[in-house]
Amino acid sequence: MKRCRILSLLTEDLLIRIRTKLTDDVDKKSFRLVCKSFYRVDSLSRTRLRVLRPEFLLDLLAKFPRVEIVDLSVCPRVDDWMAALMLTVGNSDSMCLTPRVRSLVLRRASGLRHVGLEMLVRACSSRLEMVDMSYCCGFGDREAQALSCAMGLRDLRLDKCLNVTDVGLAHIAVGCGSLERLSLKWCSEITDLGIDLLTKKCLGLKYLDISYLEVTSESLRSIASLQMLESLAMVGSPSVDDAGLHFLGDGCPLLKAIDISRCKGISSTGLCSVIKGHRSLVHLNASHCMVELSSTLLHWLKDLKCLNSLIFDGACVTENTIQTIPTGCKSLVEIGLGKCSWLTDADIKLLVTGCNNLKILNLTCDSITDASISTIVENCRNLVCLKLESCNLITEKSLEMLGSYCMLLEELDLTECCGVIDRALNHLSRCSELQCLKLGLCTNISDKGLSYIASNCTKISELDLYRCPGIGDDGLSALSSSCKKLKKLNVSYCNRLTDRGMEHIGKLEELSDLEMRGLKGITGAGLMAVVAGCERLTQLDLKHCENIKDSGFWAVACYSKDLRQINLSYCAISDLALCLVMSNLTCLQDAKLVHLINVSVGGFELALRACCGRLKKVNVK
Amino acid sequence: MNVKERPSVENWTKPSAIVNELPQNTSINNQSFNSTNSQQHQQKCVNPSIMDYNLEALSSKFNQSSENPSFLPSSPCNQTKITNQDDVQMNQMLQNGKLLGWDPRAMLSNLSFLEQKIHQLQELLCMIVGQRNQMYDCPEELFPQQQQLITADLTSIIIQLISTASSLLPSVKHSLSTVSPLLGQLPQLNGVLCPSTANTISGLHLQINGDPMQQNVGDLKPSDRSNPVEQNNSSIEVHEFKEEDNADEDEHLSPGSYEILQLEKEEILAPHTHFCPICGKGFKRDANLRMHMRGHGDEYKTPASLAKPHKEASSELVLLKRYSCPYAGCKRNKDHRKFQPLKTILCVKNHYKRTHCDKTYTCSRCNAKKFSVLADLKTHEKHCGRDKWLCSCGTTFSRKDKLFGHISLFQGHTPAIIPLEENKGLSETLNHAENLEAVSKVGRVGFSFSTNDFNGNDIQGMVDLKGNIEEACFSPFDFDACNLGPFHQESPQPTFDGLGSSFSFLISGDMSAVQSGTNNIG
């Protein structure tokens, strides 16, 4: 009875407030499962709906009246027919889908063609603000035309829509004049003409991503006319040169973030003109595009008072450089100097002494020693992310210092650091906030070290143990007993692992992404234990697990219904098992089936027929 | 003549003997000017005449003409007389313009003189025709003589007309500044006078230094004039300068640096510009004509007659030629306020056909596009059917960037999406079109060759062009248009080339050639 009174104290208003504080999906699920009133509050206040299976979509929509964001990205078989169904049912029902949906996430919904898309878009034309069509390989000009009916569209993502040409973009530009955010990454058919038209029609663009397009400086000339542009990403555009950056320097008065990494055609003079024109730049990413940082560039860099993030990965950095950067930019939050050769401890000292606010530091460089780490630790107590990939000179001492002072550390990359040993991990385990730890190729760690981490860093969600030969079943045992939040685990080529270790992995209920390549000691029983325990598994890599027999794959077919990506290359799977796996895994989007020695051509045919077009990508050799 | 009525003769600062004697002699007796050549030279140099645009050229021609006294014994005197006469007339006009306005009586007398002259020429031609009919096999030496005679008469008519017209213009011009109602008459007069002159003579209107007013003003420049005239000059000059300022916009030639030629409509549209004087067959190029002439006898096979007609004047004169469109009101017409001259005769032809003629060539492929110039049709046929870039408004474009430019200009227009299957079909038709083109290319070679002739070697091209114009302008075709039919129909002229060359001086702006034939004026 006492319990009931507590619940009666919690009014709906209070419950709604409490619910808004919850961010994690798992917590929300727990909240929903408390009791009926909690469930009702959750239903009423839910705005986002991510559907795994299309068959439940309509019911769910009816249950959640305030849903504004519909995410169908993990939903297989999103096609024209389904769209039509959604609309017909919706129209007859008062709780229909269309008038309230503001965002549609249709990533990887390759089955949805222009007919269905047009129906969807027309039904919710005026309110639709955001559409994500990324990775829809079927998305072409006709689909773009259908999409252009959404007049009020503000945010559109078309990453890797390979079939969209300038014509399609023109439709979108003309139809959706109020676009503010547009991502055209990897849309390789789009040229300068399309970009030019876009900049003439969508004058309110604030965010534009034209990475990996075949555009030239002419596009930048057009883009420079966008008065509202705040962020421009232009990764991997080899045809863009300094002239283009010069246009950019003269235009786009509100530009705050620019990413020109991997643009091979530009030099520091071009970058100078951009910096000269935009003193309020906040993010600057020019990694892997310049060999040398000239002194004039550094001179101009000093004037960027608002600069938060400065990334010069792959640049040739000298002492002069390092002296210049921190004297001007005290507000730096992120510094990227990865793969900068000849970076010395003295440089690091100069670099970090001023930057007290530094949170993200990338020093992927093999010349870093413990001295650098000590200066970093002294100055940057707020460090959240530190990348020290292949810093072979780092020893136990560094990790001890990190463990003692950088208590906020959440992400640490120690890949290929030979100096990391079990005792070092013991020191590091004091960073209890650690969420992501990469220990790949750290050959000197063993189960003992892993157990230190596991016992203290319970928030860890991503762990990389790629090719750590010292790790065995006991380590995984410690991990599975305490790190219940682990979502992503890589145990590839940890050859000592056996089925017993797999049973421990099976205890990690949150695990969604498991990579276990080249584990010769694993048999079907081990795999069965994993898939039976990890219900949320969406990605599974079994490459070169040659000793797994059909029983394991049967288990995969039976248990892992949510599996979206699977790699079965070099496995001893038979015709029948493959057929079963492909037909049972209804959410499967991506399958790699390279070199399956026991599978005949007929078996392949049967398997691919069995998955009947749900598969978005098959890699068969 | 009205010379005596001229007021304030005493104003002239020239030696009074010459000034006073000259008009009298002009009106009374030509013979009083039968003095030596050297005297003539001197006199001519002292008295800059209205027609004396290029003293050097003139004097050289002057010498030349005086070297051949056989046909024109009195030409030097006449020349001087004419120049002086014109000079006086001109000055008088200017002064009259200032004080009284232009004198219609002077104009009337000029015109009646012209009338007489034309009658005289008609009679002469009738006589020649009659003679030829009677004795068809007469010695051919007579023909050059007759021809020279007619040429001389024609030239004198030309001279008189031009002098009449041009003497009129400054007075009108001058009255402009004082009498405002006459302001609108200037272009009118220009438009009326110039073509009429051209019609009467040869379809060619000739002007030197671009503007008749300006040259006249320029002629008045010598400082041995009285004060009032000088002041007058300066005021006119300023005015002129303003007008000329906005003239040539696209081609930055100073107004005086080129001469303007204007062909008549019939001339422009004539399929052939070179005609065989014997059989009348027409040719497009004079080289072809010369080849053809070989068939008419051995005398046309000599290297001299086969050689390209040489012109001495072209070597001396570097004055650029520019062309005017005969269509009144056209921007390419010299009377247009913002006149833009055409550069070559080919430009004239293409411009006239494109702008002022019907479009007679229709594209057989699309049946929609029409052209007046055959070359345009062929250019279009190259691209016809390739307009694969379609806008939602129905407009097609051959190039994607043009379509996108169109879309960016117009609100709501979008590019049409061509389905893949249709695209394939389109590409097939395109291939077909290319094959067709390859076939038709063979037939097009001749055409392109003829255009190359115009655009090829610069100097050579210019010379060729000159030849074309001259012979074009004086081809029988035009005489026909001027009701001088018998002239060419019944009197084949073996020395056609000679005639052409004698006229060539007129074309190239050397007025002395014209003046050399003025022996019959008095």
Side-chain angles (χ1 to χ4, degrees):
Chain A
M1 280 300 111
K2 195 185 173 187
R3 241 170 140 191
C4 288
R5 258 183 277 148
I6 291 172
L7 284 178
S8 64
L9 284 175
L10 291 169
T11 58
E12 255 183 32
D13 290 352
L14 272 175
L15 282 177
I16 289 171
R17 280 200 173 189
I18 292 167
R19 196 201 166 278
T20 52
K21 302 280 180 192
L22 301 176
T23 49
D24 194 61
D25 282 347
V26 184
D27 297 340
K28 281 179 191 167
K29 190 180 177 184
S30 314
F31 181 87
R32 195 157 57 239
L33 294 174
V34 172
C35 67
K36 268 190 178 176
S37 59
F38 275 61
Y39 180 78
R40 213 170 71 82
V41 165
D42 182 69
S43 307
L44 285 173
S45 54
R46 179 180 268 271
T47 56
R48 183 188 164 91
L49 188 63
R50 187 165 175 261
V51 193
L52 280 175
R53 304 215 185 276
E55 46 267 41
F56 304 128
L57 177 66
L58 296 169
D59 290 340
L60 290 169
L61 282 171
K63 276 178 190 166
F64 302 114
R66 295 211 175 167
V67 164
E68 289 180 340
I69 305 165
V70 176
D71 187 348
L72 300 172
S73 58
V74 291
C75 196
R77 280 182 291 185
V78 175
D79 51 20
D80 292 351
W81 180 82
M82 207 191 89
L85 188 76
M86 276 160 70
L87 291 172
T88 47
V89 176
N91 285 341
S92 62
D93 198 344
S94 62
M95 305 292 279
C96 56
L97 160 80
T98 49
R100 54 202 158 98
V101 172
R102 278 165 52 197
S103 300
L104 267 179
V105 181
L106 296 165
R107 279 168 169 254
R108 297 179 195 276
S110 297
L112 193 64
R113 305 313 288 260
H114 62 99
V115 180
L117 193 61
E118 189 165 351
M119 281 195 290
L120 269 178
V121 168
R122 278 198 188 281
C124 38
S125 61
S126 57
R127 289 204 64 187
L128 204 60
E129 284 179 2
M130 185 268 192
V131 173
D132 187 348
M133 298 295 301
S134 306
Y135 307 101
C136 292
C137 44
F139 192 92
D141 291 342
R142 289 189 163 272
E143 285 72 27
Q145 188 183 20
L147 200 59
S148 66
C149 303
M151 316 258 261
L153 210 61
R154 287 162 187 270
D155 188 347
L156 178 61
R157 288 165 212 193
L158 297 175
D159 297 359
K160 222 154 191 175
C161 291
L162 296 173
N163 293 329
V164 181
T165 67
D166 288 340
V167 174
L169 184 61
H171 276 280
I172 289 168
V174 172
C176 318
S178 53
L179 266 183
E180 285 175 6
R181 194 185 163 95
L182 179 64
S183 178
L184 297 169
K185 212 173 182 172
W186 288 113
C187 297
S188 45
E189 296 284 319
I190 287 170
T191 66
D192 290 338
L193 281 176
I195 300 291
D196 184 50
L197 188 70
L198 179 75
T199 57
K200 281 178 182 150
K201 296 287 181 184
C202 301
L203 300 171
L205 269 178
K206 287 181 179 167
Y207 173 92
L208 183 62
D209 189 343
I210 52 165
S211 302
Y212 304 103
L213 298 193
E214 296 286 326
V215 294
T216 66
S217 296
E218 281 304 303
S219 284
L220 283 186
R221 188 204 290 269
S222 327
I223 287 168
S225 65
L226 290 172
Q227 299 297 306
M228 307 298 286
L229 196 72
E230 289 173 9
S231 172
L232 175 68
M234 200 179 53
V235 182
S237 303
S239 312
V240 173
D241 55 15
D242 289 345
L245 291 184
H246 196 73
F247 294 132
L248 208 59
D250 294 337
C252 299
L254 299 178
L255 197 68
K256 292 206 163 45
I258 181 166
D259 185 350
I260 46 168
S261 40
R262 295 179 199 280
C263 294
K264 300 287 182 192
I266 63 170
S267 74
S268 51
T269 31
L271 197 56
C272 272
S273 48
V274 173
I275 293 169
K276 265 185 247 177
H278 303 99
R279 298 300 176 83
S280 54
L281 217 56
V282 176
H283 296 279
L284 175 62
N285 187 348
S287 48
H288 303 289
C289 56
M290 278 177 295
V291 181
E292 196 161 3
L293 301 171
S294 70
S295 53
T296 44
L297 172 63
L298 294 165
H299 172 75
W300 287 109
L301 266 182
K302 270 198 290 186
D303 294 346
L304 297 177
K305 302 292 180 202
C306 310
L307 198 65
N308 259 347
S309 162
L310 177 66
I311 302 172
F312 276 125
D313 292 351
C316 176
V317 179
T318 60
E319 194 176 329
N320 185 25
T321 319
I322 302 301
Q323 275 175 339
T324 316
I325 294 175
T327 50
C329 315
K330 292 289 179 193
S331 58
L332 272 182
V333 170
E334 180 181 3
I335 294 180
L337 289 170
K339 309 235 165 66
C340 294
S341 326
W342 308 291
L343 205 64
T344 63
D345 289 334
D347 296 336
I348 300 291
K349 190 171 182 180
L350 283 167
L351 180 69
V352 294
T353 34
C355 303
N356 296 321
N357 299 323
L358 207 62
K359 284 186 175 166
I360 304 169
L361 185 58
N362 184 359
L363 295 172
T364 308
C365 179
D366 52 9
S367 56
I368 301 278
T369 67
D370 291 339
S372 301
I373 304 297
S374 72
T375 47
I376 290 168
V377 163
E378 278 167 30
N379 290 288
C380 317
R381 295 290 166 89
N382 299 325
L383 211 60
V384 170
C385 172
L386 181 62
K387 290 181 180 171
L388 297 169
E389 196 182 325
S390 67
C391 295
N392 279 315
L393 302 175
I394 284 174
T395 65
E396 179 195 344
K397 226 174 134 189
S398 297
L399 295 186
E400 189 181 351
M401 285 184 284
L402 282 174
S404 338
Y405 299 106
C406 296
M407 304 311 286
L408 298 176
L409 208 61
E410 288 178 6
E411 185 179 348
L412 183 61
D413 189 346
L414 294 169
T415 307
E416 218 181 342
C417 292
C418 308
V420 179
I421 55 171
D422 289 342
R423 249 180 317 172
L425 290 180
N426 190 13
H427 298 306
L428 187 67
S429 64
R430 274 181 281 177
C431 299
S432 54
E433 296 292 319
L434 215 55
Q435 289 178 12
C436 173
L437 182 61
K438 291 187 177 173
L439 298 168
L441 293 162
C442 293
T443 46
N444 297 326
I445 58 168
S446 68
D447 291 340
K448 206 176 163 191
L450 189 59
S451 61
Y452 291 134
I453 295 290
S455 56
N456 286 322
C457 309
T458 49
K459 290 186 177 175
I460 210 154
S461 69
E462 185 177 347
L463 184 62
D464 186 354
L465 298 168
Y466 178 82
R467 283 190 199 270
C468 293
I471 300 292
D473 297 334
D474 295 335
L476 291 184
S477 161
L479 201 66
S480 62
S481 59
S482 52
C483 300
K484 291 292 185 189
K485 296 205 169 183
L486 205 63
K487 283 182 179 160
K488 199 172 174 184
L489 180 64
N490 188 348
V491 289
S492 300
Y493 304 101
C494 296
N495 289 322
R496 285 174 54 201
L497 290 181
T498 65
D499 287 347
R500 200 166 58 85
M502 291 301 113
E503 280 169 28
H504 295 302
I505 288 177
K507 290 174 192 159
L508 299 167
E509 290 176 357
E510 298 282 317
L511 199 68
S512 65
D513 190 342
L514 178 62
E515 198 173 311
M516 39 187 285
R517 289 185 181 185
L519 298 183
K520 313 279 183 193
I522 307 294
T523 64
L527 184 59
M528 190 169 158
V530 169
V531 293
C534 308
E535 288 177 344
R536 292 166 172 265
L537 212 57
T538 56
Q539 293 185 33
L540 183 62
D541 194 334
L542 297 169
K543 194 177 175 182
H544 281 296
C545 290
E546 285 150 11
N547 291 323
I548 298 177
K549 301 294 176 210
D550 275 0
S551 61
F553 299 114
W554 282 78
V556 170
C558 294
Y559 290 104
S560 297
K561 296 285 189 190
D562 291 343
L563 211 60
R564 290 205 290 276
Q565 288 185 34
I566 192 166
N567 187 350
L568 296 172
S569 305
Y570 299 95
C571 284
I573 191 168
S574 69
D575 284 348
L576 198 62
L578 182 67
C579 189
L580 194 71
V581 166
M582 299 304 265
S583 58
N584 264 23
L585 300 182
T586 48
C587 287
L588 207 61
Q589 290 175 333
D590 187 342
K592 288 186 175 126
L593 308 171
V594 181
H595 199 84
L596 303 180
I597 43 170
N598 293 340
V599 178
S600 64
V601 178
F604 265 123
E605 192 187 340
L606 204 64
L608 293 176
R609 277 179 194 280
C611 68
C612 51
R614 292 190 309 272
L615 225 54
K616 309 295 185 300
K617 189 175 170 186
V618 184
N619 199 342
V620 185
K621 272 184 187 171
Chain B
M1 293 276 171
N2 53 348
V3 181
K4 277 177 180 170
E5 294 162 20
R6 174 174 55 90
S8 66
V9 172
E10 292 76 25
N11 278 346
W12 301 109
T13 53
K14 291 176 192 172
S16 61
I18 297 171
V19 175
N20 287 329
E21 228 177 42
L22 211 60
Q24 287 169 1
N25 285 331
T26 308
S27 56
I28 297 161
N29 191 3
N30 287 340
Q31 301 310 313
S32 64
F33 274 88
N34 267 333
S35 46
T36 61
N37 278 349
S38 60
Q39 264 182 321
Q40 304 297 329
H41 267 287
Q42 202 183 5
Q43 202 171 14
K44 219 177 65 56
C45 292
V46 168
N47 303 321
S49 89
I50 182 170
M51 290 299 168
D52 188 5
Y53 309 112
N54 189 331
L55 278 177
E56 278 177 23
L58 184 107
S59 55
S60 73
K61 184 58 208 166
F62 187 65
N63 286 334
Q64 197 190 13
S65 55
S66 59
E67 277 163 12
N68 308 320
S70 57
F71 293 116
L72 308 161
S74 60
S75 70
C77 317
N78 282 325
Q79 187 174 11
T80 320
K81 184 205 76 179
I82 284 295
T83 51
N84 285 331
Q85 187 180 21
D86 287 335
D87 197 4
V88 169
Q89 266 183 1
M90 180 63 220
N91 291 333
Q92 183 196 1
M93 285 295 185
L94 271 175
Q95 287 209 328
N96 283 351
K98 190 187 171 197
L99 302 168
L100 316 163
W102 66 285
D103 191 354
R105 276 176 295 174
M107 179 62 77
L108 192 65
S109 70
N110 276 345
L111 287 179
S112 60
F113 165 75
L114 271 174
E115 200 179 12
Q116 279 179 6
K117 196 73 206 162
I118 288 168
H119 272 295
Q120 206 178 336
L121 189 63
Q122 272 179 333
E123 281 170 16
L124 186 68
L125 282 170
C126 285
M127 194 181 73
I128 291 169
V129 170
Q131 272 182 2
R132 287 219 179 149
N133 284 343
Q134 281 173 9
M135 29 194 270
Y136 194 71
D137 52 347
C138 70
E140 294 213 330
E141 290 86 52
L142 273 176
F143 287 137
Q145 283 183 13
Q146 293 171 350
Q147 199 190 327
Q148 284 283 5
L149 213 61
I150 292 159
T151 307
D153 272 5
L154 273 174
T155 321
S156 75
I157 292 172
I158 293 168
I159 285 294
Q160 191 61 32
L161 257 178
I162 290 172
S163 66
T164 310
S166 58
S167 66
L168 179 68
L169 288 170
S171 62
V172 174
K173 173 75 192 173
H174 187 70
S175 60
L176 282 183
S177 51
T178 50
V179 190
S180 55
L182 273 169
L183 191 72
Q185 283 186 16
L186 174 65
Q188 223 180 339
L189 279 166
N190 261 337
V192 171
L193 280 175
C194 302
S196 69
T197 317
N199 272 332
T200 321
I201 305 162
S202 62
L204 178 99
H205 176 72
L206 185 142
Q207 282 179 339
I208 296 178
N209 288 341
D211 192 51
M213 273 78 79
Q214 214 211 359
Q215 50 185 275
N216 294 331
V217 171
D219 284 330
L220 289 168
K221 257 187 174 177
S223 56
D224 56 347
R225 301 285 161 97
S226 60
N227 272 339
V229 178
E230 251 184 44
Q231 282 168 1
N232 193 8
N233 282 346
S234 60
S235 74
I236 291 172
E237 261 182 42
V238 168
H239 188 77
E240 280 302 320
F241 206 70
K242 276 180 191 165
E243 261 206 4
E244 292 296 324
D245 257 354
N246 54 1
D248 289 305
E249 279 172 354
D250 53 347
E251 194 192 11
H252 297 287
L253 287 172
S254 63
S257 65
Y258 60 90
E259 59 174 317
I260 296 174
L261 306 175
Q262 182 170 292
L263 297 176
E264 268 314 295
K265 179 189 164 200
E266 293 79 10
E267 202 62 51
I268 290 166
L269 297 179
H272 300 130
T273 46
H274 305 269
F275 292 89
C276 172
I278 295 167
C279 65
K281 190 178 178 187
F283 297 92
K284 276 183 180 166
R285 294 192 287 163
D286 66 339
N288 292 345
L289 173 64
R290 285 199 299 277
M291 289 298 113
H292 162 83
M293 293 300 282
R294 291 185 306 175
H296 284 303
D298 283 339
E299 68 267 32
Y300 299 110
K301 290 177 180 172
T302 60
S305 56
L306 281 172
K308 192 169 279 182
H310 182 64
K311 292 176 293 294
E312 311 96 275
S314 66
S315 59
E316 290 166 13
L317 271 175
V318 286
L319 213 57
L320 283 167
K321 283 183 169 56
R322 287 294 178 266
Y323 299 86
S324 158
C325 169
Y327 196 90
C330 173
K331 198 178 183 181
R332 302 298 196 171
N333 184 279
K334 63 189 178 319
D335 297 328
H336 193 274
R337 200 170 52 83
K338 290 181 174 178
F339 171 55
Q340 290 182 330
L342 294 153
K343 277 188 179 173
T344 64
I345 199 124
L346 188 69
C347 294
V348 177
K349 286 190 173 190
N350 281 339
H351 160 78
Y352 194 84
K353 283 184 195 167
R354 280 179 189 139
T355 325
H356 310 300
C357 290
D358 290 338
K359 295 176 174 179
T360 48
Y361 300 108
T362 310
C363 174
S364 56
R365 232 180 265 176
C366 62
N367 279 321
K369 288 263 185 183
K370 290 183 175 181
F371 303 92
S372 49
V373 177
L374 188 64
D376 291 352
L377 172 68
K378 300 214 163 163
T379 312
H380 162 77
E381 279 178 342
K382 273 185 202 167
H383 304 287
C384 184
R386 286 195 181 193
D387 291 350
K388 56 178 179 173
W389 296 104
L390 176 69
C391 179
S392 56
C393 67
T395 321
T396 55
F397 299 87
S398 58
R399 282 166 55 180
K400 189 180 172 186
D401 54 338
K402 299 290 174 199
L403 169 65
F404 275 71
H406 166 86
I407 285 166
S408 65
L409 273 179
F410 294 95
Q411 203 71 39
H413 288 205
T414 51
I417 296 169
I418 301 161
L420 285 173
E421 316 85 62
E422 284 178 36
N423 224 345
K424 195 181 158 196
L426 192 70
S427 69
E428 272 174 14
T429 54
L430 283 179
N431 283 337
H432 183 59
E434 272 167 12
N435 289 338
L436 275 177
E437 251 170 53
V439 173
S440 64
K441 252 178 196 167
V442 182
R444 213 174 290 151
V445 171
F447 171 78
S448 63
F449 183 71
S450 70
T451 52
N452 279 344
D453 192 34
F454 275 105
N455 301 328
N457 188 329
D458 267 355
I459 302 159
Q460 193 69 20
M462 270 184 75
V463 172
D464 257 6
L465 220 54
K466 271 185 185 171
N468 278 339
I469 307 153
E470 286 149 17
E471 278 151 87
C473 296
F474 291 91
S475 69
F477 186 87
D478 219 75
F479 281 101
D480 192 24
C482 301
N483 292 327
L484 290 168
F487 184 75
H488 84 278
Q489 277 171 1
E490 293 182 48
S491 57
Q493 299 153 28
T495 53
F496 186 83
D497 279 358
L499 176 73
S501 66
S502 86
F503 270 95
S504 76
F505 295 106
L506 181 98
I507 314 308
S508 56
D510 192 344
M511 290 310 293
S512 61
V514 179
Q515 285 164 4
S516 71
T518 53
N519 55 339
N520 287 323
I521 285 178

